[in-house]
Amino acid sequence: SGVRGELLAVVTDATVALGFEPAVRFAGLLEGTLPGEVVGDLVAVLREALSNVARHAHARSVDVQVTATPERVGVEVHDDGDGMSDTGRRSGLANLRHRAEHRGGGFTLTARDPHGTVLRWWIPAP
């Protein structure tokens, strides 16, 4: 199925919980260049990000971008939901941060104008 297929399967799974289908874009060379454990991280990160949106955001649209450059590999998830609350469990987000930092990468969750959230997760290219 390849990297794209695995990631699209995550999006398909999330579509039911979200109530709509996220828009997905791929940029760069993903197939045949990423080790299995990195693909596993991308799948887990996307699954966690989309389930967070489905559970908390009440979004009407989500844009997903998966990018691979010679320097780094990353996932961005933009939603137009309620934004970040200060309540609720952060264990899933802590897990995303740990996955990124374990590989020398980073993770940010920032407010989106006028409303919503932007999740960015990246690691150096393997």
Side-chain angles (χ1 to χ4, degrees):
S1 69
V3 180
R4 289 170 190 245
E6 288 192 49
L7 293 168
L8 288 171
V10 171
V11 171
T12 299
D13 290 347
T15 296
V16 174
L18 288 166
F20 58 86
E21 189 171 346
V24 183
R25 288 197 315 260
F26 295 101
L29 192 60
L30 294 161
E31 303 299 338
T33 60
L34 301 178
E37 65 269 14
V38 171
V39 175
D41 274 352
L42 290 174
V43 167
V45 165
L46 185 56
R47 183 174 288 126
E48 181 66 39
L50 292 176
S51 73
N52 266 335
V53 172
R55 283 196 310 264
H56 305 301
H58 310 108
R60 286 172 304 287
S61 71
V62 175
D63 293 302
V64 173
Q65 178 149 356
V66 181
T67 306
T69 70
E71 292 77 42
R72 66 192 222 173
V73 178
V75 177
E76 283 193 22
V77 178
H78 299 235
D79 72 70
D80 67 351
D82 297 339
M84 298 174 291
S85 71
D86 294 327
T87 60
R89 290 174 52 231
R90 287 277 190 243
S91 58
L93 299 179
N95 180 29
L96 297 187
R97 185 178 308 281
H98 173 75
R99 281 180 183 272
E101 290 173 354
H102 176 68
R103 299 196 189 281
F107 165 76
T108 61
L109 194 64
T110 52
R112 179 181 178 190
D113 202 34
H115 50 84
T117 307
V118 178
L119 180 149
R120 290 187 180 92
W121 185 94
W122 69 92
I123 58 171

